[in-house]
Amino acid sequence: MRHFSVVLGGAVVAVCAACTITDSESHSAHVHFVLDAPLCSSTIPVSFFVDGALVASDTFRVHLSPSHTESRMFSVGVGPHVLGARSFGAFSYVWRDTTVNVSSGVIATDSLPFYCS
């Protein structure tokens, strides 16, 4: 009887491990940030946050060659996430946090409106 328990327990562990691998692979989603600054012509350094944690910093180039107004993709788990961004340097600005609820295979975009005067 004891041998049967050990074998059954090992089988349960193996099945659960397989489920975990499948779930993590099939339940991935992505977020990215896009700067919307139609009246600007400059470089704007920005830090990106997912769920309050700094994930990267980048320098956007708006209406300059080469143009760069989109961040790279950041992998997140399925479910709700809080996205945030802050510019630093000469254009210090904090965008309002955005809450997104992403599904498996979805790419959520946080649009960052910015006005230059």
Side-chain angles (χ1 to χ4, degrees), residues 32-100:
H32 81 295
F33 300 83
V34 177
L35 186 68
D36 179 18
L39 302 177
C40 289
S41 179
S42 59
T43 58
I44 303 171
V46 179
S47 294
F48 310 111
F49 299 85
V50 176
D51 298 329
L54 176 67
V55 293
S57 293
D58 197 356
T59 301
F60 288 138
R61 295 178 50 85
V62 184
H63 299 291
L64 298 172
S65 184
S67 180
H68 175 63
T69 58
E70 293 188 29
S71 74
R72 67 179 181 85
M73 299 288 177
F74 302 100
S75 296
V76 296
V78 169
H81 296 280
V82 178
L83 308 180
R86 294 188 176 117
S87 65
F88 53 92
F91 296 111
S92 183
Y93 184 78
V94 178
W95 283 272
R96 181 182 301 196
D97 287 347
T98 301
T99 301
V100 296

Side-chain angles (χ1 to χ4, degrees), residues 8-34:
L8 181 59
V12 170
V13 169
V15 169
C16 289
C19 291
T20 302
I21 292 168
T22 303
D23 286 346
S24 67
E25 290 173 356
S26 66
H27 289 115
S28 63
H30 295 86
V31 297
H32 81 295
F33 300 83
V34 177

